[in-house]
């Protein structure tokens, strides 16, 4: 099954429908399977006194509250409908992450089949029950969490009505950008083995190499932030991929999918034609007369490989030449 690649537009539209559509166009051009936004009602998400995360302070007006910053990035119902229709027209799946109950209902009313649960909601019991009750396919990000917290959230989703086979756990780290030493990519395999569940990776590192590694390790979903330009104002732009980088990531992942192949070790069709040219055979080291004893003094191993396999060396040594041989002639 092909890796499902989510191009995470998030809030990088800066509240502009025009920019949101440009981001959709970029996602389509990259070859991603889906483009994802964020759905929230600011009043339900954050208090007016809440402070920004450190990375948000670095990339936005430090004096601006988290409430005011997020309010400018909120998309209303009509904008959701407009972007959903635009995605259908462009042939890419529209996704969005809900951050509150009103937003869950909005996305459900829009007919979304896939629901993404962000890392910050993995301990939100009422939220998890709400989404779990919808019976959708779920991508659950696991940033900041322990394995036990992931297991608890998984249990709640299943008990609320979602099939386990419809849930994928995304390994994640919520630092923007994530330092390489904090990626802990092997934890994705731990989640897969311990919880017997499909896994993916939601990435916040600066490059694309960890995403490629995750695919090679078995991730079935990759999620990555992207933007039109890293220099734009906003909390997530600086740690997002630009269009060419997103395209390169998708291309690399598709190549890795092809390169993974099957699990049988055998010559590939492309290299089989090289066997005779680069393998060796047992040949005469010098002239040999019929009836001579074949020894290490008169036979050796050289290319091409269409004669007696050198693995039969011990069988040939001590045998009698059944005809005359010239030097370099195949035995």
């Amino acid at each position: 099954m092909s890796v499902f690649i989510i191009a995470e537009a998030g809030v990088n539209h800066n509240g502009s429908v025009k920019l949101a559509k440009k981001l959709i166009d970029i996602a389509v051009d990259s070859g991603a399977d889906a483009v994802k936004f964020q759905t929230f009602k600011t009043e339900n998400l954050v208090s007016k006194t809440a402070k920004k995360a450190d990375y948000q302070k670095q990339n936005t007006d430090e004096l601006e509250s988290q409430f005011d910053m997020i309010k400018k990035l909120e998309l209303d119902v009509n904008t959701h409908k407009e972007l959903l229709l635009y995605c259908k027209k462009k042939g890419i799946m529209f996704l969005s992450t809900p951050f509150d109950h009103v937003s869950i209902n909005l996305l459900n009313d829009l007919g979304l089949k896939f629901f993404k649960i962000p890392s910050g909601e993995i301990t939100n019991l009422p939220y998890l029950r709400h989404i779990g009750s919808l019976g959708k396919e779920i991508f659950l990000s696991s940033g900041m969490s322990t394995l036990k917290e992931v297991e608890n959230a998984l249990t709640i989703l299943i008990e609320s009505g979602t099939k386990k086979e419809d849930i994928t756990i995304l390994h994640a780290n919520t630092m923007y950008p994530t330092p390489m030493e904090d990626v802990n990519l092997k934890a994705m395999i731990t989640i897969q083995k311990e919880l017997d569940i499909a896994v993916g990776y939601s990435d916040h590192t600066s490059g694309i190499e960890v995403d490629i590694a995750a695919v090679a390790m078995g991730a079935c979903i990759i999620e990555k932030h992207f933007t039109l330009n890293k220099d734009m104002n906003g909390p997530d732009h600086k740690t997002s991929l630009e269009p060419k980088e997103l395209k390169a990531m998708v291309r690399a992942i598709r190549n890795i999918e092809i390169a993974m192949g099957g699990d049988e070790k055998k010559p590939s069709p492309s290299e089989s034609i090289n066997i005779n040219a680069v393998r060796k055979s047992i040949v005469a080291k010098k002239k040999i007369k019929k009836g001579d004893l074949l020894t290490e003094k008169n036979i050796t191993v050289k290319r091409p490989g269409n004669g007696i396999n050198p693995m039969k060396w011990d069988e040939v040594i001590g045998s009698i030449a059944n005809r005359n041989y010239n030097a370099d002639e195949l035995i």
Side-chain angles (χ1 to χ4, degrees), residues 267-280 303-305:
S268 71
S270 64
E271 68 176 348
S272 293
I273 60 174
N274 296 329
I275 291 176
N276 287 344
V278 301
R279 283 192 173 178
K280 296 177 178 177
R303 292 176 177 178

Side-chain angles (χ1 to χ4, degrees), residues 186-222:
K186 287 183 179 179
M188 181 182 74
I189 305 303
T190 301
I191 294 169
Q192 183 182 44
K193 289 180 178 178
E194 294 297 321
L195 302 182
D196 187 28
I197 195 155
V199 293
Y201 177 56
S202 179
D203 187 33
H204 299 120
T205 63
S206 297
I208 66 173
E209 59 265 48
V210 183
D211 303 274
I212 297 165
V215 171
M217 291 171 67
C220 60
I221 295 173
I222 292 292

Side-chain angles (χ1 to χ4, degrees), residues 120-136:
E121 307 301 331
I122 200 166
T123 57
N124 187 342
L125 178 59
Y127 175 102
L128 293 171
R129 280 180 176 160
H130 190 169
I131 289 184
S133 70
L134 301 177
K136 306 285 185 175

Side-chain angles (χ1 to χ4, degrees), residues 16-304:
S16 163
V17 176
K18 184 178 180 181
L19 181 53
K21 289 182 177 179
K22 283 186 178 180
L23 289 168
I24 292 170
D25 291 340
I26 291 167
V28 171
D29 184 60
S30 76
D33 297 291
V35 57
K36 189 173 77 66
F37 295 90
Q38 294 181 8
T39 304
F40 51 85
K41 192 69 177 172
T42 309
E43 289 79 3
N44 298 334
L45 176 61
V46 60
S47 69
K48 292 187 177 181
T49 58
K51 295 181 180 179
K52 294 178 181 176
D54 285 344
Y55 77 89
Q56 293 173 337
K57 291 177 183 177
Q58 293 169 12
N59 299 320
T60 61
D61 182 356
E62 194 171 347
L63 299 177
E64 180 185 53
S65 69
Q66 184 179 169
F67 182 94
D68 290 337
M69 176 191 73
I70 289 176
K71 188 64 179 176
K72 294 188 298 186
L73 303 173
E74 185 179 308
L75 300 176
D76 62 23
V77 176
N78 288 333
T79 300
H80 276 78
K81 292 179 179 178
E82 186 175 350
L83 295 180
L84 177 60
L85 288 173
Y86 191 75
C87 283
K88 286 182 178 178
K89 177 183 174 184
K90 292 291 182 174
I92 192 169
M93 185 181 293
F94 172 89
L95 295 177
S96 192
T97 299
F99 284 83
D100 54 72
H101 293 283
V102 172
S103 299
I104 293 172
N105 289 331
L106 166 60
L107 296 178
N108 189 43
D109 290 343
L110 289 175
L112 267 65
K113 295 181 180 180
F114 296 83
F115 270 67
K116 162 67 190 298
I117 298 175
S119 295
E121 307 301 331
I122 200 166
T123 57
N124 187 342
L125 178 59
Y127 175 102
L128 293 171
R129 280 180 176 160
H130 190 169
I131 289 184
S133 70
L134 301 177
K136 306 285 185 175
E137 289 195 45
I138 294 174
F139 310 142
L140 173 63
S141 272
S142 61
M144 306 178 293
S145 62
T146 63
L147 184 63
K148 186 61 180 176
E149 287 174 326
V150 176
E151 185 178 20
N152 289 342
L154 179 61
T155 299
I156 292 164
L157 292 171
I158 294 170
E159 289 179 349
S160 300
T162 300
K163 297 176 183 177
K164 185 176 182 180
E165 56 266 32
D166 287 339
I167 302 172
T168 303
I169 307 294
L170 305 184
H171 176 56
N173 182 296
T174 58
M175 176 53 71
Y176 291 68
T178 302
M180 285 297 174
E181 61 270 22
D182 287 349
V183 171
N184 196 25
L185 195 56
K186 287 183 179 179
M188 181 182 74
I189 305 303
T190 301
I191 294 169
Q192 183 182 44
K193 289 180 178 178
E194 294 297 321
L195 302 182
D196 187 28
I197 195 155
V199 293
Y201 177 56
S202 179
D203 187 33
H204 299 120
T205 63
S206 297
I208 66 173
E209 59 265 48
V210 183
D211 303 274
I212 297 165
V215 171
M217 291 171 67
C220 60
I221 295 173
I222 292 292
E223 180 182 68
K224 185 75 172 184
H225 281 264
F226 76 105
T227 181
L228 197 64
N229 189 314
K230 290 182 181 181
D231 294 328
M232 294 176 70
N233 291 324
D236 297 341
H237 292 287
K238 281 184 171 56
T239 53
S240 300
L241 297 181
E242 291 189 339
K244 288 183 179 178
E245 294 173 309
L246 179 65
K247 201 168 188 176
M249 186 195 78
V250 174
R251 183 171 60 247
I253 288 172
R254 297 306 180 212
N255 283 338
I256 290 297
E257 285 181 297
I258 296 168
M260 293 287 283
D263 56 10
E264 182 183 355
K265 177 57 183 168
K266 62 180 181 179
S268 71
S270 64
E271 68 176 348
S272 293
I273 60 174
N274 296 329
I275 291 176
N276 287 344
V278 301
R279 283 192 173 178
K280 296 177 178 177
S281 303
I282 298 174
V283 303
K285 186 185 286 186
K286 59 183 181 180
K287 281 190 175 183
I288 300 173
K289 292 181 180 179
K290 183 178 180 180
D292 283 354
L293 187 68
L294 299 181
T295 70
E296 292 182 1
K297 292 182 178 180
N298 60 11
I299 64 171
T300 188
V301 173
K302 290 185 181 181
R303 292 176 177 178

